[in-house]
Amino acid sequence: MYLIVGLGNPTTKYEKTRHNMGFDVVDAIAEKYNITIGEKKHRAMCGKGVIEGVKVMLAKPLTFMNLSGESVSSIVDYYHIEPEEEMLVIYDDISLAPGNLRIRKKGSAGGHNGIKDIIAMLDTDVFARIKIGVGEKPPHWDLADYVLSRFPKEDRELVDGAIDEAVKAVALIVRGETDEAMNLFNRKKQ
């Protein structure tokens, strides 16, 4: 089974914020592939289904962003998932402009606390990830306030396009075609 994790913060207070890009992409995946994310277990909302002939579990950790590793490690341990080959994490990235994607097979946390916690809990940074650009923090803004804010209309349109591209990338990645996904989607849009 392939684990697809979208990072975000639970509750309606955080819906459609920059920090909830992972949740938004997982919701779009669920809609496209008719997967119900309705089961609460492993401190996450989960749903099982099939994408391109591959059995998958979609997960949205309910631990709040900075403790995402608790939920992810619980799922990985319970289902005996090999993160290096059977896990994809989707999350926001302030170093990318809105609408841009960056797909990687491994890497550091890059300052993202949710990824930092996952790496610490799994003791590996070798797992696929899709980073969704949310734009750089403006001067004089607190980082937490920025990532927990919503997009202006013009950026929301760019981000919605990136969500669609991320769903297409997921279909390639679960089939083992991560290099193809990187070639198609790792390009600057602005």
Side-chain angles (χ1 to χ4, degrees):
M1 182 168 54
Y2 203 104
L3 174 61
I4 301 169
V5 179
L7 299 187
N9 287 308
T11 75
T12 55
K13 175 182 176 181
Y14 299 104
E15 284 180 3
K16 302 295 180 192
T17 62
R18 287 174 168 85
H19 226 19
N20 271 36
M21 291 309 310
F23 279 17
D24 291 351
V25 173
V26 165
D27 288 341
I29 295 165
E31 185 176 328
K32 176 168 180 155
Y33 293 99
N34 298 313
I35 299 171
T36 302
I37 304 175
E39 196 171 0
K40 187 176 178 182
K41 57 185 181 180
H42 305 288
R43 300 183 72 192
M45 291 305 298
C46 300
K48 292 180 184 175
V50 177
I51 297 175
E52 303 296 325
V54 178
K55 289 181 184 178
V56 301
M57 174 184 272
L58 303 180
K60 295 165 48 175
L62 298 174
T63 53
F64 287 91
M65 182 65 77
N66 294 356
L67 300 175
S68 297
E70 293 177 10
S71 173
V72 172
S73 65
S74 176
I75 296 169
V76 165
D77 291 347
Y78 186 83
Y79 291 100
H80 306 290
I81 289 169
E82 294 293 330
E84 295 86 357
E85 295 158 15
E86 302 172 314
M87 187 174 89
L88 169 65
V89 181
I90 305 165
Y91 60 100
D92 61 289
D93 190 329
I94 62 169
S95 67
L96 296 171
N100 287 310
L101 299 183
R102 183 76 71 242
I103 300 165
R104 294 282 185 255
K105 294 179 182 178
K106 63 180 181 175
S108 72
H112 194 286
N113 289 333
I115 294 296
K116 194 180 297 182
D117 195 54
I118 291 171
I119 290 170
M121 294 295 286
L122 297 181
D123 196 30
T124 184
D125 66 357
V126 182
F127 53 85
R129 68 241 3 233
I130 299 176
K131 301 187 271 187
I132 314 287
V134 298
E136 195 173 325
K137 173 186 81 68
H140 311 296
W141 271 65
D142 176 74
L143 181 59
D145 290 341
Y146 179 70
V147 296
L148 297 176
S149 68
R150 289 176 173 76
F151 294 96
K153 185 177 186 284
E154 61 276 8
D155 285 352
R156 185 75 234 184
E157 291 170 3
L158 294 170
V159 167
D160 287 343
I163 290 170
D164 292 342
E165 287 191 341
V167 172
K168 293 173 187 169
V170 166
L172 293 168
I173 293 167
V174 299
R175 289 195 324 241
E177 299 175 30
T178 305
D179 288 335
E180 177 69 15
M182 291 167 67
N183 289 336
L184 285 172
F185 299 110
N186 282 358
R187 61 184 185 276
K188 283 191 177 181
K189 300 207 176 29
Q190 53 171 328

